[in-house]
Amino acid sequence: MSRFVEVFAGAYASGKSETSINRARQFARDGRQITLVDLDSVEPAYTLRPIAGKLREEGINVITQPDNFGLGEAASYVTPQQINCLNQEGDIIIDVGYGAGGLDILDILTGIKDENNLQIYLVVNTSKFETSTVENIVEYAKFTQGEKYHFTGLISNTHFGDETTKEDVINGYNKLKSAAEKLNLPIRAIGVDKKLQSEFEKNYNGVDIWIYDRIMPCAFW
């Protein structure tokens, strides 16, 4: 079977980095060779670099920005290691930035068009303004994917930090489900903070539950 290459994108503070990290951890726990790539050229200050050492200790190869310089949606530079990340052996998880045509940055990756198992997911947190309604979700999905690359699925990641309840998670999923029908896209998973793990089974309404250990606050500068 060909390797997995999964890309996670989303609006500002959607949880795309948390999703990328926890997905990489899933692969590592399953004994798979995994590389986590930080390709966020919009907000490089919020990179994986401060927590890269911890992730490497967990068996995850990490490729990230070398510093915190950035120009917002005008983007910043990327390194040869990022550009050639698909030369790494094993599975690849890629965390990309937000904004218009955010997926177009995938064009810089050497060999991206040769990947047979490329999945591109939009991470949606309905507590955020840009994706707070069904109409906003649909509009954002069409706005951000660009011309060449298109989303293959959605990740439901509605939360309110430590105040999140099971009802919040389910309400966010239900809203995303309506948007998914309009977009004709599947919901691949529902992100659930580990504090709520006991309140969910392994799946909800036939959708996988991914348990998140949220460590991105450790990466804030």
Side-chain angles (χ1 to χ4, degrees):
M1 184 175 65
S2 62
R3 68 174 179 178
F4 292 97
V5 176
E6 296 184 349
V7 178
F8 295 94
Y12 178 75
S14 61
K16 54 189 178 294
S17 294
E18 290 284 18
T19 300
S20 300
I21 291 168
N22 282 280
R23 183 62 167 153
R25 283 172 151 179
Q26 288 180 19
F27 278 87
R29 285 195 296 267
D30 289 341
R32 298 181 69 96
Q33 187 174 2
I34 182 69
T35 296
L36 174 60
V37 184
D38 188 343
L39 203 61
D40 188 345
S41 62
V42 176
E43 292 283 3
Y46 298 103
T47 67
L48 305 179
R49 183 159 56 95
I51 55 177
K54 174 178 174 56
L55 295 174
R56 290 182 180 121
E57 290 175 358
E58 297 179 17
I60 300 169
N61 180 32
V62 182
I63 297 175
T64 186
Q65 295 283 73
D67 59 42
N68 65 341
F69 173 79
L71 297 171
E73 290 200 38
S76 60
Y77 67 90
V78 292
T79 67
Q81 192 179 24
Q82 289 170 300
I83 292 170
N84 296 303
C85 65
L86 295 176
N87 290 339
Q88 300 291 319
E89 301 258 337
D91 303 308
I92 310 285
I93 302 292
I94 303 173
D95 173 16
V96 304
Y98 62 89
L103 295 182
D104 287 345
I105 195 172
L106 297 177
D107 248 357
I108 72 169
L109 300 183
T110 304
I112 187 70
K113 297 189 183 299
D114 297 326
E115 293 296 336
N116 296 320
N117 199 2
L118 175 65
Q119 301 295 324
I120 306 177
Y121 298 114
L122 177 65
V123 180
V124 177
N125 182 350
T126 62
S127 73
K128 303 303 178 182
F129 173 77
E130 294 94 334
T131 51
S132 59
T133 68
V134 172
E135 292 73 19
N136 285 355
I137 295 168
V138 172
E139 181 180 358
Y140 189 85
K142 294 178 178 179
F143 163 78
T144 196
Q145 65 184 356
E147 296 294 330
K148 298 179 182 179
Y149 301 95
H150 302 281
F151 294 113
T152 59
L154 305 168
I155 307 295
S156 182
N157 185 44
T158 293
H159 70 90
F160 296 88
D162 292 338
E163 298 179 1
T164 308
T165 66
K166 179 179 181 179
E167 290 69 28
D168 293 328
V169 174
I170 293 174
N171 289 340
Y173 163 77
N174 288 333
K175 191 178 294 184
L176 183 59
K177 183 180 177 183
S178 296
E181 292 170 355
K182 293 179 180 295
L183 291 165
N184 194 29
L185 289 173
I187 299 179
R188 173 66 181 86
I190 302 170
V192 174
D193 190 285
K194 65 178 182 179
K195 295 177 181 178
L196 297 175
Q197 182 173 1
S198 63
E199 299 189 40
F200 286 88
E201 302 293 336
K202 290 185 177 181
N203 64 74
Y204 176 81
N205 200 29
V207 178
D208 289 345
I209 296 292
W210 288 355
I211 301 301
Y212 288 8
D213 182 5
R214 301 186 188 276
I215 64 171
M216 273 305 287
C218 299
F220 286 3
W221 291 89

